[in-house]
Amino acid sequence: MASTFSFDVVSDFDRQELVNAVDQTNREIIARYDLKDTKTTLELGEDAIVISTDSEFTLDAIQTILQIKSAKRNLSLKIFDYGKVESASGNRVRQEIKLKKGLTPEVAKQITKLIRDEFKKVQGSIQGDAVRVSAKAKDDLQGVMQRLKQEDYPMALQFNNYR
């Protein structure tokens, strides 16, 4: 039996689910009567999604569709970092949506401080863009998970490597 148990707090998303959500959004753009003739493009890059369409009104509609499709695929809407709307050539608008991945150093410090302040028998350590949480009892770790779920961080948190 292991003497200590641990898990990692990370901020990540399932890339394949995001690909599927973008694909479903593209299909709905093609199928919807009000979006059919807008010549909208939705491109998924390595770390961003670029939307190009004919007006800000259709841009809002496309963002809503993307959010709905992502939520149905259990993707957190906190992974999207919306950039400013830019005007592109031919009276079109363009927006880049960056995809957030990994904990920022500030959020990692907040998490370790919360663990230090509220859980005396639990240790938290920053390891790159993740936080390793360890304790002698599994119940303490589950308490930390519950407490972190209550907080509202600017990014989606997941717990993995639970051992």
Side-chain angles (χ1 to χ4, degrees):
M1 183 172 193
S3 60
T4 60
F5 301 99
S6 66
F7 69 89
D8 292 336
V9 180
V10 296
S11 178
D12 203 359
F13 58 88
D14 187 351
R15 177 83 182 169
Q16 187 58 49
E17 291 295 339
L18 182 65
V19 168
N20 293 341
V22 169
D23 184 46
Q24 284 182 337
T25 304
N26 274 326
R27 289 176 193 222
E28 187 160 334
I29 290 168
I30 293 168
R32 274 182 49 171
Y33 180 75
D34 59 338
L35 299 175
K36 198 177 281 190
D37 295 329
T38 60
K39 295 184 178 72
T40 299
T41 59
L42 189 71
E43 301 169 8
L44 175 63
E46 196 62 36
D47 58 350
I49 299 171
V50 178
I51 301 172
S52 176
T53 188
D54 65 350
S55 70
E56 288 193 35
F57 178 74
T58 55
L59 181 67
D60 290 340
I62 292 162
Q63 286 176 353
T64 304
I65 295 168
L66 180 63
Q67 291 171 355
I68 291 170
K69 299 298 182 188
S70 299
K72 283 185 179 179
R73 298 197 151 273
N74 294 327
L75 290 172
S76 173
L77 299 182
K78 292 182 179 181
I79 66 171
F80 299 126
D81 184 18
Y82 295 95
K84 65 178 185 156
V85 178
E86 306 164 352
S87 53
S89 61
N91 285 339
R92 297 178 63 78
V93 293
R94 181 178 178 276
Q95 184 178 37
E96 183 177 38
I97 304 170
K98 294 204 181 299
L99 303 171
K100 292 189 213 172
K101 197 172 191 176
L103 294 177
T104 62
E106 296 83 27
V107 172
K109 287 177 187 175
Q110 288 175 359
I111 290 172
T112 55
K113 183 177 181 335
L114 182 128
I115 292 170
R116 234 188 353 254
D117 293 345
E118 295 187 20
F119 299 93
K120 301 301 178 200
K121 296 181 180 180
V122 180
Q123 295 81 37
S125 62
I126 301 173
Q127 297 182 339
D129 59 355
V131 174
R132 169 78 40 97
V133 181
S134 57
K136 290 195 181 291
K138 287 184 179 181
D139 292 342
D140 294 336
L141 292 181
Q142 290 173 347
V144 171
M145 284 184 193
Q146 293 301 319
R147 180 65 180 96
L148 289 175
K149 287 179 184 175
Q150 293 172 358
E151 289 292 312
D152 186 31
Y153 291 106
M155 54 197 51
L157 298 181
Q158 290 85 31
F159 310 109
N160 60 15
N161 293 339
Y162 187 74
R163 21 184 134 115

mmCIF file of all heavy atoms in Angstrom, residues 46-96:
data_model
loop_
_atom_site.group_PDB
_atom_site.id
_atom_site.type_symbol
_atom_site.label_atom_id
_atom_site.label_comp_id
_atom_site.label_asym_id
_atom_site.label_seq_id
_atom_site.Cartn_x
_atom_site.Cartn_y
_atom_site.Cartn_z
ATOM 1 N N GLU A 46 -3.864 25.196 -34.399
ATOM 2 C CA GLU A 46 -3.234 24.466 -33.293
ATOM 3 C C GLU A 46 -3.644 25.022 -31.936
ATOM 4 O O GLU A 46 -3.930 24.268 -31.012
ATOM 5 C CB GLU A 46 -1.712 24.540 -33.446
ATOM 6 C CG GLU A 46 -0.963 23.535 -32.605
ATOM 7 C CD GLU A 46 -1.291 22.099 -32.950
ATOM 8 O OE1 GLU A 46 -1.502 21.778 -34.132
ATOM 9 O OE2 GLU A 46 -1.364 21.277 -32.020
ATOM 10 N N ASP A 47 -3.693 26.358 -31.808
ATOM 11 C CA ASP A 47 -4.039 26.940 -30.512
ATOM 12 C C ASP A 47 -5.057 28.067 -30.625
ATOM 13 O O ASP A 47 -5.171 28.890 -29.724
ATOM 14 C CB ASP A 47 -2.774 27.448 -29.812
ATOM 15 C CG ASP A 47 -2.024 28.473 -30.633
ATOM 16 O OD1 ASP A 47 -2.363 28.663 -31.816
ATOM 17 O OD2 ASP A 47 -1.084 29.084 -30.094
ATOM 18 N N ALA A 48 -5.808 28.104 -31.750
ATOM 19 C CA ALA A 48 -6.818 29.147 -31.916
ATOM 20 C C ALA A 48 -7.864 28.714 -32.947
ATOM 21 O O ALA A 48 -7.610 27.840 -33.779
ATOM 22 C CB ALA A 48 -6.182 30.452 -32.358
ATOM 23 N N ILE A 49 -9.027 29.350 -32.857
ATOM 24 C CA ILE A 49 -10.090 29.192 -33.843
ATOM 25 C C ILE A 49 -10.285 30.562 -34.482
ATOM 26 O O ILE A 49 -10.375 31.561 -33.777
ATOM 27 C CB ILE A 49 -11.407 28.737 -33.180
ATOM 28 C CG1 ILE A 49 -11.232 27.383 -32.486
ATOM 29 C CG2 ILE A 49 -12.529 28.658 -34.208
ATOM 30 C CD1 ILE A 49 -12.427 26.985 -31.644
ATOM 31 N N VAL A 50 -10.334 30.608 -35.818
ATOM 32 C CA VAL A 50 -10.526 31.870 -36.515
ATOM 33 C C VAL A 50 -11.878 31.834 -37.220
ATOM 34 O O VAL A 50 -12.152 30.920 -38.009
ATOM 35 C CB VAL A 50 -9.397 32.132 -37.539
ATOM 36 C CG1 VAL A 50 -9.639 33.428 -38.291
ATOM 37 C CG2 VAL A 50 -8.052 32.167 -36.843
ATOM 38 N N ILE A 51 -12.714 32.837 -36.919
ATOM 39 C CA ILE A 51 -14.024 32.954 -37.553
ATOM 40 C C ILE A 51 -13.976 34.152 -38.493
ATOM 41 O O ILE A 51 -13.567 35.244 -38.090
ATOM 42 C CB ILE A 51 -15.137 33.177 -36.509
ATOM 43 C CG1 ILE A 51 -15.184 32.035 -35.506
ATOM 44 C CG2 ILE A 51 -16.487 33.332 -37.203
ATOM 45 C CD1 ILE A 51 -16.132 32.285 -34.345
ATOM 46 N N SER A 52 -14.384 33.956 -39.730
ATOM 47 C CA SER A 52 -14.476 35.044 -40.696
ATOM 48 C C SER A 52 -15.884 35.014 -41.286
ATOM 49 O O SER A 52 -16.316 33.986 -41.810
ATOM 50 C CB SER A 52 -13.434 34.863 -41.804
ATOM 51 O OG SER A 52 -13.588 35.854 -42.784
ATOM 52 N N THR A 53 -16.602 36.143 -41.189
ATOM 53 C CA THR A 53 -17.977 36.199 -41.664
ATOM 54 C C THR A 53 -18.296 37.610 -42.148
ATOM 55 O O THR A 53 -17.433 38.486 -42.127
ATOM 56 C CB THR A 53 -18.957 35.737 -40.566
ATOM 57 O OG1 THR A 53 -20.254 35.632 -41.117
ATOM 58 C CG2 THR A 53 -18.945 36.662 -39.379
ATOM 59 N N ASP A 54 -19.558 37.842 -42.543
ATOM 60 C CA ASP A 54 -19.887 39.115 -43.179
ATOM 61 C C ASP A 54 -20.359 40.209 -42.231
ATOM 62 O O ASP A 54 -20.377 41.372 -42.622
ATOM 63 C CB ASP A 54 -20.915 38.905 -44.298
ATOM 64 C CG ASP A 54 -22.250 38.423 -43.775
ATOM 65 O OD1 ASP A 54 -22.332 38.069 -42.593
ATOM 66 O OD2 ASP A 54 -23.208 38.402 -44.562
ATOM 67 N N SER A 55 -20.759 39.889 -40.997
ATOM 68 C CA SER A 55 -21.191 40.949 -40.078
ATOM 69 C C SER A 55 -21.023 40.494 -38.633
ATOM 70 O O SER A 55 -20.862 39.306 -38.352
ATOM 71 C CB SER A 55 -22.660 41.313 -40.334
ATOM 72 O OG SER A 55 -23.496 40.259 -39.915
ATOM 73 N N GLU A 56 -21.068 41.465 -37.722
ATOM 74 C CA GLU A 56 -20.955 41.134 -36.304
ATOM 75 C C GLU A 56 -22.174 40.368 -35.813
ATOM 76 O O GLU A 56 -22.083 39.573 -34.884
ATOM 77 C CB GLU A 56 -20.751 42.407 -35.480
ATOM 78 C CG GLU A 56 -19.380 42.996 -35.654
ATOM 79 C CD GLU A 56 -19.055 44.057 -34.623
ATOM 80 O OE1 GLU A 56 -19.491 43.912 -33.467
ATOM 81 O OE2 GLU A 56 -18.373 45.020 -34.983
ATOM 82 N N PHE A 57 -23.318 40.604 -36.441
ATOM 83 C CA PHE A 57 -24.536 39.882 -36.070
ATOM 84 C C PHE A 57 -24.364 38.381 -36.320
ATOM 85 O O PHE A 57 -24.670 37.557 -35.458
ATOM 86 C CB PHE A 57 -25.730 40.433 -36.851
ATOM 87 C CG PHE A 57 -27.007 39.716 -36.555
ATOM 88 C CD1 PHE A 57 -27.670 39.918 -35.358
ATOM 89 C CD2 PHE A 57 -27.549 38.838 -37.479
ATOM 90 C CE1 PHE A 57 -28.843 39.245 -35.069
ATOM 91 C CE2 PHE A 57 -28.716 38.167 -37.210
ATOM 92 C CZ PHE A 57 -29.374 38.363 -35.999
ATOM 93 N N THR A 58 -23.876 38.014 -37.498
ATOM 94 C CA THR A 58 -23.668 36.589 -37.777
ATOM 95 C C THR A 58 -22.510 36.033 -36.950
ATOM 96 O O THR A 58 -22.521 34.860 -36.593
ATOM 97 C CB THR A 58 -23.405 36.341 -39.281
ATOM 98 O OG1 THR A 58 -22.316 37.155 -39.707
ATOM 99 C CG2 THR A 58 -24.628 36.652 -40.103
ATOM 100 N N LEU A 59 -21.534 36.882 -36.618
ATOM 101 C CA LEU A 59 -20.437 36.447 -35.758
ATOM 102 C C LEU A 59 -20.968 36.033 -34.386
ATOM 103 O O LEU A 59 -20.577 34.998 -33.844
ATOM 104 C CB LEU A 59 -19.389 37.553 -35.616
ATOM 105 C CG LEU A 59 -18.175 37.232 -34.755
ATOM 106 C CD1 LEU A 59 -17.327 36.149 -35.403
ATOM 107 C CD2 LEU A 59 -17.342 38.470 -34.532
ATOM 108 N N ASP A 60 -21.884 36.826 -33.834
ATOM 109 C CA ASP A 60 -22.497 36.469 -32.543
ATOM 110 C C ASP A 60 -23.266 35.157 -32.649
ATOM 111 O O ASP A 60 -23.217 34.324 -31.742
ATOM 112 C CB ASP A 60 -23.433 37.585 -32.071
ATOM 113 C CG ASP A 60 -22.674 38.825 -31.642
ATOM 114 O OD1 ASP A 60 -21.464 38.709 -31.344
ATOM 115 O OD2 ASP A 60 -23.289 39.906 -31.612
ATOM 116 N N ALA A 61 -23.983 34.963 -33.746
ATOM 117 C CA ALA A 61 -24.748 33.724 -33.937
ATOM 118 C C ALA A 61 -23.811 32.512 -34.009
ATOM 119 O O ALA A 61 -24.082 31.468 -33.410
ATOM 120 C CB ALA A 61 -25.596 33.816 -35.198
ATOM 121 N N ILE A 62 -22.687 32.682 -34.693
ATOM 122 C CA ILE A 62 -21.728 31.581 -34.840
ATOM 123 C C ILE A 62 -21.060 31.267 -33.497
ATOM 124 O O ILE A 62 -20.858 30.098 -33.152
ATOM 125 C CB ILE A 62 -20.700 31.912 -35.932
ATOM 126 C CG1 ILE A 62 -21.407 31.932 -37.283
ATOM 127 C CG2 ILE A 62 -19.553 30.921 -35.947
ATOM 128 C CD1 ILE A 62 -20.651 32.632 -38.366
ATOM 129 N N GLN A 63 -20.743 32.316 -32.722
ATOM 130 C CA GLN A 63 -20.177 32.091 -31.389
ATOM 131 C C GLN A 63 -21.149 31.316 -30.520
ATOM 132 O O GLN A 63 -20.754 30.394 -29.798
ATOM 133 C CB GLN A 63 -19.850 33.424 -30.719
ATOM 134 C CG GLN A 63 -18.656 34.125 -31.259
ATOM 135 C CD GLN A 63 -18.465 35.498 -30.610
ATOM 136 O OE1 GLN A 63 -19.300 35.964 -29.862
ATOM 137 N NE2 GLN A 63 -17.340 36.117 -30.920
ATOM 138 N N THR A 64 -22.418 31.665 -30.591
ATOM 139 C CA THR A 64 -23.441 30.966 -29.802
ATOM 140 C C THR A 64 -23.536 29.498 -30.215
ATOM 141 O O THR A 64 -23.597 28.614 -29.356
ATOM 142 C CB THR A 64 -24.805 31.657 -29.964
ATOM 143 O OG1 THR A 64 -24.670 33.028 -29.595
ATOM 144 C CG2 THR A 64 -25.856 30.996 -29.107
ATOM 145 N N ILE A 65 -23.532 29.247 -31.512
ATOM 146 C CA ILE A 65 -23.589 27.860 -31.996
ATOM 147 C C ILE A 65 -22.378 27.083 -31.502
ATOM 148 O O ILE A 65 -22.498 25.953 -31.024
ATOM 149 C CB ILE A 65 -23.672 27.823 -33.542
ATOM 150 C CG1 ILE A 65 -24.969 28.442 -34.028
ATOM 151 C CG2 ILE A 65 -23.540 26.394 -34.048
ATOM 152 C CD1 ILE A 65 -24.997 28.698 -35.525
ATOM 153 N N LEU A 66 -21.181 27.691 -31.605
ATOM 154 C CA LEU A 66 -19.953 27.032 -31.158
ATOM 155 C C LEU A 66 -20.008 26.723 -29.665
ATOM 156 O O LEU A 66 -19.618 25.639 -29.231
ATOM 157 C CB LEU A 66 -18.731 27.899 -31.486
ATOM 158 C CG LEU A 66 -17.371 27.343 -31.071
ATOM 159 C CD1 LEU A 66 -17.062 26.049 -31.805
ATOM 160 C CD2 LEU A 66 -16.279 28.369 -31.320
ATOM 161 N N GLN A 67 -20.521 27.665 -28.877
ATOM 162 C CA GLN A 67 -20.632 27.435 -27.433
ATOM 163 C C GLN A 67 -21.600 26.307 -27.122
ATOM 164 O O GLN A 67 -21.324 25.468 -26.261
ATOM 165 C CB GLN A 67 -21.068 28.730 -26.738
ATOM 166 C CG GLN A 67 -20.014 29.797 -26.747
ATOM 167 C CD GLN A 67 -20.535 31.135 -26.245
ATOM 168 O OE1 GLN A 67 -21.714 31.295 -25.978
ATOM 169 N NE2 GLN A 67 -19.645 32.106 -26.134
ATOM 170 N N ILE A 68 -22.729 26.260 -27.812
ATOM 171 C CA ILE A 68 -23.722 25.202 -27.574
ATOM 172 C C ILE A 68 -23.135 23.842 -27.941
ATOM 173 O O ILE A 68 -23.257 22.874 -27.180
ATOM 174 C CB ILE A 68 -25.012 25.490 -28.363
ATOM 175 C CG1 ILE A 68 -25.727 26.709 -27.772
ATOM 176 C CG2 ILE A 68 -25.927 24.277 -28.383
ATOM 177 C CD1 ILE A 68 -26.865 27.227 -28.617
ATOM 178 N N LYS A 69 -22.499 23.766 -29.100
ATOM 179 C CA LYS A 69 -21.920 22.487 -29.545
ATOM 180 C C LYS A 69 -20.797 22.040 -28.608
ATOM 181 O O LYS A 69 -20.643 20.853 -28.330
ATOM 182 C CB LYS A 69 -21.381 22.604 -30.980
ATOM 183 C CG LYS A 69 -22.423 22.944 -32.010
ATOM 184 C CD LYS A 69 -23.502 21.903 -32.120
ATOM 185 C CE LYS A 69 -24.494 22.263 -33.200
ATOM 186 N NZ LYS A 69 -25.652 21.391 -33.228
ATOM 187 N N SER A 70 -20.015 22.992 -28.101
ATOM 188 C CA SER A 70 -18.930 22.647 -27.171
ATOM 189 C C SER A 70 -19.488 22.168 -25.835
ATOM 190 O O SER A 70 -18.988 21.204 -25.264
ATOM 191 C CB SER A 70 -18.021 23.854 -26.951
ATOM 192 O OG SER A 70 -17.426 24.253 -28.158
ATOM 193 N N ALA A 71 -20.516 22.843 -25.343
ATOM 194 C CA ALA A 71 -21.106 22.454 -24.061
ATOM 195 C C ALA A 71 -21.731 21.062 -24.147
ATOM 196 O O ALA A 71 -21.645 20.280 -23.191
ATOM 197 C CB ALA A 71 -22.149 23.478 -23.637
ATOM 198 N N LYS A 72 -22.334 20.746 -25.283
ATOM 199 C CA LYS A 72 -22.926 19.408 -25.447
ATOM 200 C C LYS A 72 -21.858 18.316 -25.455
ATOM 201 O O LYS A 72 -22.148 17.166 -25.155
ATOM 202 C CB LYS A 72 -23.735 19.336 -26.742
ATOM 203 C CG LYS A 72 -25.082 20.005 -26.632
ATOM 204 C CD LYS A 72 -25.888 19.808 -27.893
ATOM 205 C CE LYS A 72 -27.239 20.465 -27.765
ATOM 206 N NZ LYS A 72 -28.038 20.325 -28.982
ATOM 207 N N ARG A 73 -20.635 18.693 -25.795
ATOM 208 C CA ARG A 73 -19.533 17.722 -25.830
ATOM 209 C C ARG A 73 -18.676 17.802 -24.568
ATOM 210 O O ARG A 73 -17.527 17.388 -24.564
ATOM 211 C CB ARG A 73 -18.681 17.943 -27.074
ATOM 212 C CG ARG A 73 -19.478 17.731 -28.342
ATOM 213 C CD ARG A 73 -18.571 17.532 -29.515
ATOM 214 N NE ARG A 73 -19.216 16.710 -30.508
ATOM 215 C CZ ARG A 73 -19.190 15.385 -30.530
ATOM 216 N NH1 ARG A 73 -18.548 14.728 -29.617
ATOM 217 N NH2 ARG A 73 -19.796 14.723 -31.479
ATOM 218 N N ASN A 74 -19.241 18.362 -23.500
ATOM 219 C CA ASN A 74 -18.588 18.453 -22.185
ATOM 220 C C ASN A 74 -17.278 19.230 -22.214
ATOM 221 O O ASN A 74 -16.356 18.935 -21.466
ATOM 222 C CB ASN A 74 -18.364 17.062 -21.577
ATOM 223 C CG ASN A 74 -19.667 16.380 -21.250
ATOM 224 O OD1 ASN A 74 -20.637 17.039 -20.890
ATOM 225 N ND2 ASN A 74 -19.695 15.067 -21.390
ATOM 226 N N LEU A 75 -17.195 20.235 -23.085
ATOM 227 C CA LEU A 75 -16.051 21.136 -23.088
ATOM 228 C C LEU A 75 -16.447 22.381 -22.297
ATOM 229 O O LEU A 75 -17.534 22.916 -22.473
ATOM 230 C CB LEU A 75 -15.685 21.545 -24.524
ATOM 231 C CG LEU A 75 -15.093 20.465 -25.402
ATOM 232 C CD1 LEU A 75 -14.980 20.966 -26.842
ATOM 233 C CD2 LEU A 75 -13.733 20.058 -24.903
ATOM 234 N N SER A 76 -15.561 22.825 -21.439
ATOM 235 C CA SER A 76 -15.831 24.028 -20.664
ATOM 236 C C SER A 76 -15.723 25.249 -21.570
ATOM 237 O O SER A 76 -14.846 25.317 -22.435
ATOM 238 C CB SER A 76 -14.829 24.160 -19.520
ATOM 239 O OG SER A 76 -14.998 25.393 -18.880
ATOM 240 N N LEU A 77 -16.613 26.213 -21.374
ATOM 241 C CA LEU A 77 -16.555 27.435 -22.176
ATOM 242 C C LEU A 77 -15.417 28.337 -21.728
ATOM 243 O O LEU A 77 -15.115 29.329 -22.389
ATOM 244 C CB LEU A 77 -17.894 28.173 -22.086
ATOM 245 C CG LEU A 77 -19.095 27.395 -22.618
ATOM 246 C CD1 LEU A 77 -20.354 28.244 -22.518
ATOM 247 C CD2 LEU A 77 -18.877 26.927 -24.050
ATOM 248 N N LYS A 78 -14.754 27.988 -20.630
ATOM 249 C CA LYS A 78 -13.615 28.780 -20.152
ATOM 250 C C LYS A 78 -12.357 28.561 -20.988
ATOM 251 O O LYS A 78 -11.383 29.272 -20.819
ATOM 252 C CB LYS A 78 -13.315 28.442 -18.690
ATOM 253 C CG LYS A 78 -14.400 28.910 -17.739
ATOM 254 C CD LYS A 78 -14.032 28.593 -16.320
ATOM 255 C CE LYS A 78 -15.075 29.074 -15.356
ATOM 256 N NZ LYS A 78 -14.714 28.792 -13.959
ATOM 257 N N ILE A 79 -12.369 27.571 -21.888
ATOM 258 C CA ILE A 79 -11.190 27.359 -22.735
ATOM 259 C C ILE A 79 -11.117 28.395 -23.851
ATOM 260 O O ILE A 79 -10.080 28.564 -24.458
ATOM 261 C CB ILE A 79 -11.144 25.934 -23.337
ATOM 262 C CG1 ILE A 79 -12.298 25.700 -24.314
ATOM 263 C CG2 ILE A 79 -11.108 24.889 -22.257
ATOM 264 C CD1 ILE A 79 -12.197 24.417 -25.099
ATOM 265 N N PHE A 80 -12.219 29.098 -24.110
ATOM 266 C CA PHE A 80 -12.244 30.081 -25.182
ATOM 267 C C PHE A 80 -11.837 31.456 -24.657
ATOM 268 O O PHE A 80 -12.411 31.950 -23.704
ATOM 269 C CB PHE A 80 -13.641 30.180 -25.808
ATOM 270 C CG PHE A 80 -14.116 28.895 -26.426
ATOM 271 C CD1 PHE A 80 -15.328 28.349 -26.051
ATOM 272 C CD2 PHE A 80 -13.366 28.231 -27.371
ATOM 273 C CE1 PHE A 80 -15.782 27.171 -26.606
ATOM 274 C CE2 PHE A 80 -13.806 27.048 -27.938
ATOM 275 C CZ PHE A 80 -15.023 26.517 -27.557
ATOM 276 N N ASP A 81 -10.861 32.073 -25.306
ATOM 277 C CA ASP A 81 -10.432 33.432 -24.985
ATOM 278 C C ASP A 81 -10.680 34.275 -26.236
ATOM 279 O O ASP A 81 -9.885 34.258 -27.173
ATOM 280 C CB ASP A 81 -8.954 33.445 -24.600
ATOM 281 C CG ASP A 81 -8.475 34.821 -24.174
ATOM 282 O OD1 ASP A 81 -9.326 35.667 -23.846
ATOM 283 O OD2 ASP A 81 -7.250 35.037 -24.182
ATOM 284 N N TYR A 82 -11.803 34.994 -26.225
ATOM 285 C CA TYR A 82 -12.234 35.728 -27.407
ATOM 286 C C TYR A 82 -11.372 36.965 -27.619
ATOM 287 O O TYR A 82 -11.237 37.800 -26.731
ATOM 288 C CB TYR A 82 -13.705 36.143 -27.275
ATOM 289 C CG TYR A 82 -14.631 34.955 -27.232
ATOM 290 C CD1 TYR A 82 -15.054 34.433 -26.018
ATOM 291 C CD2 TYR A 82 -15.056 34.355 -28.396
ATOM 292 C CE1 TYR A 82 -15.899 33.338 -25.978
ATOM 293 C CE2 TYR A 82 -15.894 33.257 -28.373
ATOM 294 C CZ TYR A 82 -16.311 32.752 -27.157
ATOM 295 O OH TYR A 82 -17.125 31.662 -27.124
ATOM 296 N N GLY A 83 -10.816 37.074 -28.807
ATOM 297 C CA GLY A 83 -10.047 38.257 -29.173
ATOM 298 C C GLY A 83 -10.988 39.345 -29.673
ATOM 299 O O GLY A 83 -12.204 39.153 -29.762
ATOM 300 N N LYS A 84 -10.422 40.490 -30.025
ATOM 301 C CA LYS A 84 -11.279 41.576 -30.496
ATOM 302 C C LYS A 84 -11.693 41.317 -31.942
ATOM 303 O O LYS A 84 -10.998 40.644 -32.703
ATOM 304 C CB LYS A 84 -10.592 42.917 -30.351
ATOM 305 C CG LYS A 84 -9.367 43.099 -31.190
ATOM 306 C CD LYS A 84 -8.796 44.479 -30.997
ATOM 307 C CE LYS A 84 -7.641 44.630 -31.975
ATOM 308 N NZ LYS A 84 -7.326 45.954 -32.317
ATOM 309 N N VAL A 85 -12.834 41.879 -32.291
ATOM 310 C CA VAL A 85 -13.368 41.727 -33.643
ATOM 311 C C VAL A 85 -12.638 42.700 -34.560
ATOM 312 O O VAL A 85 -12.589 43.896 -34.293
ATOM 313 C CB VAL A 85 -14.892 41.998 -33.651
ATOM 314 C CG1 VAL A 85 -15.444 41.885 -35.062
ATOM 315 C CG2 VAL A 85 -15.599 41.048 -32.708
ATOM 316 N N GLU A 86 -12.067 42.168 -35.633
ATOM 317 C CA GLU A 86 -11.311 42.984 -36.582
ATOM 318 C C GLU A 86 -12.079 43.058 -37.896
ATOM 319 O O GLU A 86 -12.772 42.116 -38.266
ATOM 320 C CB GLU A 86 -9.943 42.350 -36.847
ATOM 321 C CG GLU A 86 -9.135 42.079 -35.600
ATOM 322 C CD GLU A 86 -7.982 41.115 -35.869
ATOM 323 O OE1 GLU A 86 -7.913 40.544 -36.975
ATOM 324 O OE2 GLU A 86 -7.179 40.943 -34.962
ATOM 325 N N SER A 87 -11.937 44.160 -38.591
ATOM 326 C CA SER A 87 -12.548 44.237 -39.918
ATOM 327 C C SER A 87 -11.557 43.662 -40.928
ATOM 328 O O SER A 87 -10.364 43.964 -40.905
ATOM 329 C CB SER A 87 -12.919 45.675 -40.270
ATOM 330 O OG SER A 87 -11.807 46.508 -40.119
ATOM 331 N N ALA A 88 -12.067 42.817 -41.804
ATOM 332 C CA ALA A 88 -11.231 42.164 -42.814
ATOM 333 C C ALA A 88 -11.615 42.734 -44.188
ATOM 334 O O ALA A 88 -12.495 43.587 -44.300
ATOM 335 C CB ALA A 88 -11.443 40.659 -42.772
ATOM 336 N N SER A 89 -10.978 42.257 -45.215
ATOM 337 C CA SER A 89 -11.225 42.792 -46.551
ATOM 338 C C SER A 89 -12.631 42.439 -47.037
ATOM 339 O O SER A 89 -13.193 41.405 -46.680
ATOM 340 C CB SER A 89 -10.191 42.230 -47.529
ATOM 341 O OG SER A 89 -10.296 40.829 -47.589
ATOM 342 N N GLY A 90 -13.205 43.303 -47.851
ATOM 343 C CA GLY A 90 -14.510 43.034 -48.447
ATOM 344 C C GLY A 90 -15.669 43.180 -47.475
ATOM 345 O O GLY A 90 -16.598 42.374 -47.519
ATOM 346 N N ASN A 91 -15.641 44.161 -46.583
ATOM 347 C CA ASN A 91 -16.717 44.394 -45.597
ATOM 348 C C ASN A 91 -17.001 43.163 -44.745
ATOM 349 O O ASN A 91 -18.147 42.842 -44.439
ATOM 350 C CB ASN A 91 -18.012 44.850 -46.290
ATOM 351 C CG ASN A 91 -17.927 46.283 -46.745
ATOM 352 O OD1 ASN A 91 -17.104 47.046 -46.237
ATOM 353 N ND2 ASN A 91 -18.758 46.645 -47.703
ATOM 354 N N ARG A 92 -15.982 42.463 -44.381
ATOM 355 C CA ARG A 92 -16.141 41.263 -43.560
ATOM 356 C C ARG A 92 -15.528 41.510 -42.185
ATOM 357 O O ARG A 92 -14.751 42.445 -42.002
ATOM 358 C CB ARG A 92 -15.482 40.061 -44.235
ATOM 359 C CG ARG A 92 -16.140 39.729 -45.568
ATOM 360 C CD ARG A 92 -15.484 38.569 -46.270
ATOM 361 N NE ARG A 92 -15.560 37.318 -45.554
ATOM 362 C CZ ARG A 92 -16.646 36.535 -45.497
ATOM 363 N NH1 ARG A 92 -17.754 36.906 -46.096
ATOM 364 N NH2 ARG A 92 -16.615 35.393 -44.854
ATOM 365 N N VAL A 93 -15.884 40.674 -41.226
ATOM 366 C CA VAL A 93 -15.298 40.756 -39.892
ATOM 367 C C VAL A 93 -14.607 39.432 -39.585
ATOM 368 O O VAL A 93 -14.964 38.384 -40.119
ATOM 369 C CB VAL A 93 -16.348 41.092 -38.802
ATOM 370 C CG1 VAL A 93 -16.876 42.489 -38.983
ATOM 371 C CG2 VAL A 93 -17.460 40.087 -38.789
ATOM 372 N N ARG A 94 -13.619 39.531 -38.702
ATOM 373 C CA ARG A 94 -12.795 38.375 -38.373
ATOM 374 C C ARG A 94 -12.529 38.400 -36.879
ATOM 375 O O ARG A 94 -12.321 39.471 -36.298
ATOM 376 C CB ARG A 94 -11.485 38.509 -39.152
ATOM 377 C CG ARG A 94 -10.512 37.417 -38.963
ATOM 378 C CD ARG A 94 -9.293 37.708 -39.851
ATOM 379 N NE ARG A 94 -8.301 36.703 -39.660
ATOM 380 C CZ ARG A 94 -7.414 36.700 -38.693
ATOM 381 N NH1 ARG A 94 -7.389 37.658 -37.814
ATOM 382 N NH2 ARG A 94 -6.541 35.722 -38.586
ATOM 383 N N GLN A 95 -12.555 37.228 -36.255
ATOM 384 C CA GLN A 95 -12.243 37.139 -34.834
ATOM 385 C C GLN A 95 -11.426 35.881 -34.578
ATOM 386 O O GLN A 95 -11.710 34.822 -35.120
ATOM 387 C CB GLN A 95 -13.519 37.094 -33.990
ATOM 388 C CG GLN A 95 -13.223 37.095 -32.511
ATOM 389 C CD GLN A 95 -14.478 37.099 -31.674
ATOM 390 O OE1 GLN A 95 -15.466 36.466 -32.021
ATOM 391 N NE2 GLN A 95 -14.442 37.796 -30.559
ATOM 392 N N GLU A 96 -10.407 36.060 -33.737
ATOM 393 C CA GLU A 96 -9.585 34.928 -33.337
ATOM 394 C C GLU A 96 -9.938 34.561 -31.901
ATOM 395 O O GLU A 96 -9.981 35.416 -31.024
ATOM 396 C CB GLU A 96 -8.109 35.280 -33.442
ATOM 397 C CG GLU A 96 -7.207 34.113 -33.113
ATOM 398 C CD GLU A 96 -5.738 34.447 -33.288
ATOM 399 O OE1 GLU A 96 -5.344 35.578 -32.951
ATOM 400 O OE2 GLU A 96 -5.001 33.573 -33.754
#
